[in-house]
Amino acid sequence: MSTVPNVPYRLEFSVEVPGTPEQVWEAIATAKGMSAWFTQTEMEEREGGSLHFTMGPEMGSDGRVTGWDPPRRLVYEEDWAALMGKDPDSLSPLTSEFVVEARSGGTCVVRVTSSGFGIGAAWESEWWDTLAPGWLPFFDNLRLYLAHFTGQEATQLEATASHAGDAETLWSTLRAALGLGEEGTPVEARGATGTVERVGERQAQVRLTAPVPGMLTAFTYGEEDGKATAGVRAYLFSADAAEHVRREQPAWQAWLQELPVPA
């Protein structure tokens, strides 16, 4: 017998981004656009179309487009029960809605709402508590993408490494090793140059200018077993980006593993 979900969960926020509604729509409602600031995305770009977000090796989220009104409104549902390894009848779909509103001065406001219903289990509220901190930083990527790389296709690079200790200490180590100063300051790290665009809690965003233009986020997060993970995620925009990633991803991986973390 399945449990009828009846506990509501909801996350709402809005972001102002540069660009026309059509440019913003291309960034938030196409596979090419979503893959350039969020995660690798496959999407049938129509109402009823299938959707897949890649979330790591052999991990992903499947869904479908339930609302499609270009360039104004996109709605999609994901199976968050399957994503969390739970009974598919126990939770409603996770629904995300994007509404684009044009503003004067060449910007748009994107209003984002994610909602779902559960059974009130402790793991559900913990999962929703981590949704905003995990998702919101990507919208800094969206803003930067629309400002500097709109319409371009991204090649992604991602590398992570776990270390004993806590995420805050590991972040201090990672930030120092990369030479990340305050917002607006130049960066030169591992042969790449750029500018610090944003510094948040245990993460920072850099706009890369050479050798390959793009966006890079450095971050750390804690794990339950007394370990923490350090990582970098980059979106690169050039014809030779794929070759750069083939060469640099293993190098980033080795560099992260060798971080001199205090005992």
Side-chain angles (χ1 to χ4, degrees), residues 61-63 77-84 86-88 91-94:
S61 177
D62 291 302
E77 293 182 347
E78 296 171 84
D79 184 353
W80 64 297
L83 188 61
M84 302 305 293
K86 305 295 180 180
D87 177 1
L91 307 170
S92 77
L94 173 65

Side-chain angles (χ1 to χ4, degrees), residues 116-192:
F117 289 84
I119 55 174
W123 71 265
E124 293 174 11
S125 58
E126 290 170 7
W127 188 82
W128 279 86
D129 286 345
T130 62
L131 184 61
W135 201 24
L136 272 166
F138 285 103
F139 289 86
D140 289 330
N141 291 344
L142 174 61
R143 191 182 292 111
L144 198 60
Y145 172 68
L146 285 163
H148 298 283
F149 307 108
T150 185
Q152 296 185 48
E153 188 167 353
T155 302
Q156 288 192 25
L157 178 156
E158 186 159 2
T160 60
S162 290
H163 293 271
D166 65 277
E168 196 63 50
T169 302
L170 185 56
W171 171 243
S172 297
T173 302
L174 178 60
R175 184 174 180 179
L178 289 172
L180 299 177
E182 299 305 311
E183 293 176 7
T185 58
V187 179
E188 185 169 345
R190 294 206 57 257

Side-chain angles (χ1 to χ4, degrees), residues 86-103:
K86 305 295 180 180
D87 177 1
D89 294 327
S90 67
L91 307 170
S92 77
L94 173 65
T95 300
S96 295
E97 178 185 54
F98 292 66
V99 176
V100 180
E101 299 174 0
R103 288 281 171 93

Side-chain angles (χ1 to χ4, degrees), residues 11-15 17 21 24-30 33-34 37-39 41 43 51 53 65-78 94-101 109-115 135-136 138-139 142 146:
L11 170 66
E12 294 179 276
F13 60 91
S14 61
V15 292
V17 295
V24 176
W25 177 263
E26 186 179 332
I28 65 167
T30 69
M34 290 284 272
W37 62 272
F38 184 43
T39 188
T41 302
M43 179 192 293
L51 182 68
F53 296 122
V65 178
T66 57
W68 182 265
D69 181 17
R72 196 187 72 83
R73 180 174 175 268
L74 168 73
V75 187
Y76 58 82
E77 293 182 347
E78 296 171 84
L94 173 65
T95 300
S96 295
E97 178 185 54
F98 292 66
V99 176
V100 180
E101 299 174 0
V109 170
V110 182
R111 303 191 186 282
V112 185
T113 305
S114 279
S115 57
W135 201 24
L136 272 166
F138 285 103
F139 289 86
L142 174 61
L146 285 163

